[in-house]
Amino acid sequence: MDFGLVLQTDPPASQVISLMKRAERNGFRYGWTFDSAVLWQEPFVIYSQILANTEHLIVGPMVTNPGTRTWEVTASTFATLNDMYGNRTVCGIGRGDSAMRVAGRKPNTLARISEAMKVIRTLASGGEADLGGGTVVRFPWIKPDAQLPVWMAAYGPKALKMAGKEADGFILQLADPYLTKTMIKAVRDAAAAAGRDPSDVKICVAAPAYLTEDDSPAALAHAREQCRWFGGMVGNHVADLVAKYGAHSDVVPEALTEYIKAREGYDYSHHGRADNPDTAFVPDEVVDRFCLIGTAEQQVAKLRELKALGVDQFAVYAMHDARERVIDGYGAEVIPALRN
């Protein structure tokens, strides 16, 4: 199993770079960031410095979207970084929850994501792509060995199917084993139906991890408060699914929709932050299911369960008050226990 670190690009950028360097020293293979131009600093500028200050770390957004940048610009940015640093980027892509809504736009449709994935991957890998209206372009400066994997974030049945058919990887932003099993099956079934080898679709589970010294009630209570924001963030996507399919639809598991009944709204100015006031509706049970909370031994046990389900990478959201501790703790105890 590979490991990634997920950060917001809050200023100063030097701190983001420092934490990514620390992650690589501790055995993390991937460095991910949010991508929401209004809420945080521009990630691609920071990626260049992360790549320059690390040797092997693969970097990318979790996630970008096809609406805030034109597709040829996105592809060219990735291709330029790969040309400079040797194919060390990955394009995580999704509908664009915070990035689009904060700018007063609706999240992108699946059809638009599908088109964008094809164009971005093709251009960044040296091929020709139609930008619309019959305008076909190709980057004349790209190297023959250029490549860019595109991983898609998904929850709903149509998105899961599309990830299996079209994406190089599937990003699932929660660490509940039951839901993970259900969604991996949907992705792999879709890949097989499309004539692909299901194992070719990499599976990345991303969720907060908070290491505690013990499993005392006080330690676990603090950890839950530091990670409760994640249930609120996931709740945005779940609310979209409920609006589309209904709260008791056969295609959306009740284990995913039940907890948002008490959700009243969401303020994106606190998006992804431990002090988010709009996450009081998230019960402790959901925090425990969706996140990794507890001692290193307890987290290793849950990660082994996820690995057995087919998870290739666990990406640690480190938006809490113990970022350095979780990076070092994973490097010392968790990653060695699960290294391939």
Side-chain angles (χ1 to χ4, degrees):
M1 179 182 276
D2 286 328
F3 287 83
L5 177 68
V6 190
L7 299 174
Q8 294 167 335
T9 51
D10 283 319
S14 58
Q15 188 174 57
V16 177
I17 296 161
S18 176
L19 289 169
M20 290 297 184
K21 290 167 62 179
R22 190 179 195 128
E24 183 179 64
R25 291 196 302 269
N26 276 283
F28 288 77
R29 190 178 173 213
Y30 286 80
W32 303 92
T33 75
F34 284 29
D35 176 19
S36 193
V38 175
L39 296 177
W40 302 290
Q41 293 185 328
E42 171 56 37
F44 287 94
V45 176
I46 299 171
Y47 294 159
S48 186
Q49 284 298 302
I50 294 171
L51 290 165
N53 284 275
T54 56
E55 295 182 8
H56 308 292
L57 203 68
I58 298 168
V59 305
M62 189 178 282
V63 293
T64 193
N65 74 88
T68 53
R69 296 179 179 84
T70 60
W71 305 344
E72 70 273 20
V73 170
T74 299
S76 181
T77 304
F78 277 112
T80 301
L81 290 172
N82 284 338
D83 183 73
M84 294 172 67
Y85 300 106
N87 289 336
R88 288 172 55 201
T89 67
V90 57
C91 176
I93 195 166
R95 296 178 65 227
D97 176 37
S98 65
M100 296 296 285
R101 285 181 166 131
V102 168
R105 308 182 186 111
K106 293 182 180 180
N108 295 271
T109 64
L110 291 180
R112 186 169 173 81
I113 296 173
S114 176
E115 294 176 30
M117 286 200 299
K118 294 182 180 71
V119 169
I120 292 168
R121 181 197 292 115
T122 299
L123 287 176
S125 300
E128 293 183 343
D130 189 340
L131 298 180
T135 302
V136 177
V137 300
R138 179 182 178 276
F139 299 149
W141 46 267
I142 206 162
K143 291 180 179 178
D145 65 344
Q147 57 181 321
L148 176 68
V150 179
W151 295 14
M152 180 180 166
Y155 290 107
K158 291 182 179 179
L160 293 169
K161 184 176 181 179
M162 196 173 90
K165 290 176 61 177
E166 302 179 27
D168 300 302
F170 161 51
I171 297 171
L172 175 59
Q173 291 165 310
L174 54 82
D176 176 69
Y178 169 76
L179 291 169
T180 298
K181 181 179 180 179
T182 300
M183 294 185 183
I184 289 177
K185 183 180 185 303
V187 169
R188 287 182 167 167
D189 286 351
R196 304 180 66 189
D197 182 344
S199 65
D200 287 344
V201 183
K202 297 298 182 183
I203 308 295
C204 174
V205 162
Y210 198 100
L211 285 170
T212 60
E213 294 294 330
D214 53 44
D215 57 358
S216 67
L220 294 176
H222 179 76
R224 289 186 185 111
E225 289 311 310
Q226 288 294 306
C227 298
R228 200 175 303 276
W229 63 267
F230 184 68
M233 187 184 82
V234 174
N236 294 329
H237 304 290
V238 177
D240 287 343
L241 293 176
V242 169
K244 184 172 184 178
Y245 297 105
H248 301 287
S249 169
D250 292 337
V251 297
V252 183
E254 188 174 356
L256 185 60
T257 62
E258 181 67 19
Y259 84 99
I260 70 160
K261 287 181 178 179
R263 179 181 182 270
E264 296 181 353
Y266 193 83
D267 181 352
Y268 280 93
S269 65
H270 302 281
H271 189 56
R273 301 191 185 279
D275 62 353
N276 190 329
D278 296 322
T279 59
F281 71 93
V282 181
D284 289 351
E285 177 193 2
V286 166
V287 179
D288 292 346
R289 281 171 41 211
F290 285 11
C291 306
L292 271 78
I293 288 173
T295 65
E297 182 180 6
Q298 291 169 326
Q299 295 195 27
V300 166
K302 187 170 183 178
L303 287 166
R304 282 182 173 146
E305 186 177 359
L306 292 170
K307 182 178 180 181
L309 295 175
V311 174
D312 298 295
Q313 178 187 160
F314 178 63
V316 177
Y317 278 108
M319 277 67 82
H320 49 56
D321 63 3
R323 295 184 298 181
E324 290 84 357
R325 188 165 77 238
V326 77
I327 293 170
D328 295 345
Y330 262 61
E333 299 182 74
V334 179
I335 293 176
L338 288 126
R339 184 172 288 124
N340 288 331

